[in-house]
Amino acid sequence: MTRTIVLMTILAVACLPAGGCGKDDSRGGGPAKGKTVVRFLEGPDNGGGWKEIVSRFEAAHPEIDVELVEGPASTNTREEMYTASFLSGDSTYDVICMDIIWVPKLAAQGWLLPLDDRLPPNEREKFLPGDIQGSIYEGRIYRVPMRSDAGMLYYRSDVVTTPPETFEDLVRLSREHQKPPGMWGFVFQAKQYEGLVCNFLEVLWGHGGDVFDGTGRVILDGPEAVRALTWMCGLVRDVSPEGVTTYQEEESRHVFHEGHALFMRNWPYAWTKAQEEGSPIRGKVGIVPMVHAPGKSSAATLGGWGFGIAKSAKNPDAAWKFISFATAEAQQKTLHLRNGAIPTRRSLFQDPEVLAESPHYPDLYKVLLAARPRPVHPRYPEISDAIQRHVSAALVGREAVEEALKHTAAEIRKIVGR
Ligand code: GLC
């Protein structure tokens, strides 16, 4: 039987440990007697692809009951929920649906089973290389990539004939065509959360800056970072609505989708949503790589999700059965067609059905190959938190740009110990 639990607030997690919330499962001793339960936490199943995949799996494996817990959209909150469950020593989740940035922390804590034998090199080759690279920590692999991600720039092709290439182009075209408050220039993700880090890094990299230099020295208070953050702060109230500082992916997508913005930075799923039947912007949207400073190159943040197995999983083999099924071609295709998820299997970028739905996939493939990882460190959540707090403070005018970057760099130096 497929059961889907939707968690509306983080408080609901308190109900989750085995047998809680009146749920019956093989651990709590309910009617699913004799069945193995495999439970995982994902974001909202927008499109219904996950429900379809879970029912398909259960039909093929009647001895396994898969519980999909639909949690909050924010990666930070879901990471906290998994972490709380690991720290409390319970075994709520068997399969860990992981953001690429969680791997070093969860692996370093010893909360995951290594998957080296289950995912040998000849299998790994079938996936996008960045997704595999991001699944490895200290030489061992802990995650099977399930959907990939890379940031890109969306534009209204019915209004703007030549898309912007530089940061200046984006602002100039926005000012030229916007009519606030009904139609703003540019929306992006500027709330204080992980998405802000992804947006900030793309602007930072596009100015030729970075968090660390090649030797591991923190350079976030350098001149490129100052230029990058100054540019971002200048957007608010000029070409972006003030509310942008509260937007995550879906908030910015809704504004763009309803025709209230000319440009949007988002992940590739937004394209599928824009092209859906009944969409007000269907056929009026183009995508290009994020803008950059003159003489520098565009950069996309590498995102993406994949499955690992909790060390505390009651039945790792059942968990693996579900993971191999869910990451197989047929299921990745379902998730693409229904939820707009980007496949991680290279073959799907040449699949006729996928190409019919998403003709831009050959270009997206190149963007994914060139996408850049966020800093890889077991204490990445703390590094990210420092960036989130200070970049957000600068965007809302609580900290001056240089001061914000100086504080961020100092905090990161302390975290990484240099
Ligand atoms: C997307 C990306 C993920 C990133 C998150 C930030 O879900 O796939 O890697 O951390 O957005 O909001």
Side-chain angles (χ1 to χ4, degrees):
M1 183 188 31
T2 308
R3 278 187 301 259
T4 304
I5 308 161
V6 181
L7 290 183
M8 295 315 289
T9 71
I10 191 164
L11 285 180
V13 76
C15 300
L16 268 177
C21 291
K23 281 185 44 52
D24 46 340
D25 66 24
S26 56
R27 296 165 233 209
K33 228 175 177 176
K35 282 201 180 194
T36 299
V37 174
V38 169
R39 187 186 286 136
F40 73 105
L41 168 69
E42 234 288 48
D45 184 21
N46 291 332
W50 274 121
K51 291 179 198 77
E52 184 179 331
I53 291 168
V54 168
S55 331
R56 217 185 275 160
F57 175 80
E58 289 179 334
H61 299 273
E63 75 289 2
I64 303 174
D65 217 357
V66 176
E67 288 189 4
L68 158 66
V69 180
E70 286 185 66
S74 152
T75 174
N76 301 101
T77 317
R78 298 215 298 279
E79 199 252 337
E80 282 161 16
M81 290 167 76
Y82 274 123
T83 296
S85 141
F86 286 129
L87 286 173
S88 71
D90 70 42
S91 48
T92 298
Y93 303 110
D94 313 273
V95 164
I96 311 303
C97 181
M98 275 184 272
D99 193 337
I100 194 160
I101 49 170
W102 303 356
V103 177
K105 173 182 160 178
L106 302 193
Q109 291 286 346
W111 289 335
L112 304 173
L113 286 181
L115 304 176
D116 302 278
D117 297 340
R118 299 190 195 257
L119 197 69
N122 62 325
E123 275 305 311
R124 294 180 203 181
E125 274 165 22
K126 298 176 183 158
F127 294 86
L128 288 160
D131 290 327
I132 288 292
Q133 199 46 46
S135 303
I136 294 174
Y137 179 68
E138 294 195 335
R140 313 204 72 174
I141 193 157
Y142 292 93
R143 192 185 83 130
V144 185
M146 175 266 291
R147 63 186 164 90
S148 195
D149 249 346
M152 48 215 323
L153 185 69
Y154 290 75
Y155 68 99
R156 284 289 298 274
S157 51
D158 55 329
V159 181
V160 174
T161 37
T162 313
E165 281 182 25
T166 64
F167 293 110
E168 290 73 19
D169 289 346
L170 179 59
V171 171
R172 181 179 44 78
L173 288 167
S174 292
R175 287 191 187 140
E176 215 169 289
H177 297 284
Q178 70 177 4
K179 287 188 189 65
M183 170 68 115
W184 281 95
F186 179 45
V187 289
F188 56 107
Q189 295 85 55
K191 185 188 160 111
Q192 186 183 323
Y193 82 117
E194 182 61 32
L196 174 59
V197 178
C198 303
N199 283 243
F200 172 65
L201 287 177
E202 285 164 5
V203 176
L204 177 67
W205 290 329
H207 278 89
D210 211 336
V211 179
F212 299 99
D213 70 6
T215 68
R217 213 164 44 95
V218 179
I219 51 165
L220 203 49
D221 41 6
E224 295 86 1
V226 172
R227 279 198 287 277
L229 189 53
T230 304
W231 181 79
M232 266 179 108
C233 290
L235 299 172
V236 185
R237 283 190 299 271
D238 177 2
V239 297
S240 307
E242 193 171 0
V244 77
T245 54
T246 64
Y247 290 179
Q248 300 190 50
E249 285 80 2
E250 277 296 85
E251 287 82 5
S252 34
R253 190 181 71 76
H254 285 303
V255 173
F256 185 74
H257 193 90
E258 294 305 323
H260 300 310
L262 275 167
F263 300 104
M264 168 178 73
R265 181 275 174 204
N266 214 324
W267 306 99
Y269 82 100
W271 197 87
T272 309
K273 298 278 165 204
Q275 300 310 320
E276 269 169 14
E277 219 166 291
S279 155
I281 51 169
R282 190 174 181 179
K284 300 178 182 168
V285 177
I287 42 180
V288 282
M290 186 57 186
V291 287
H292 55 84
K296 309 285 179 202
S297 346
S298 293
T301 302
L302 176 66
W305 295 80
F307 287 124
I309 304 180
K311 204 168 234 168
S312 53
K314 290 274 187 301
N315 188 333
D317 290 334
W320 178 253
K321 268 188 198 158
F322 176 67
I323 292 175
S324 8
F325 182 88
T327 55
E329 277 192 10
Q331 280 60 247
Q332 290 204 4
K333 209 186 233 188
T334 302
L335 213 56
H336 170 65
L337 297 174
R338 294 196 58 158
N339 294 22
I342 313 310
T344 54
R345 289 190 175 267
R346 289 143 67 129
S347 56
L348 288 173
F349 290 83
Q350 291 158 12
D351 181 279
E353 224 181 310
V354 171
L355 287 177
E357 172 83 12
S358 302
H360 60 294
Y361 262 39
D363 289 335
L364 176 60
Y365 187 72
K366 288 185 214 141
V367 174
L368 289 166
L369 288 183
R372 293 174 64 166
R374 282 159 272 177
V376 177
H377 195 278
R379 294 179 69 183
Y380 174 75
E382 292 161 75
I383 296 174
S384 166
D385 181 61
I387 298 175
Q388 290 172 37
R389 272 185 288 107
H390 294 293
V391 170
S392 167
L395 286 173
V396 299
R398 256 191 299 115
E399 268 182 339
V401 166
E402 297 201 7
E403 183 198 351
L405 291 169
K406 227 184 269 163
H407 289 317
T408 320
E411 284 185 30
I412 297 178
R413 285 187 189 111
K414 224 166 166 184
I415 295 164
V416 301
R418 45 187 298 174

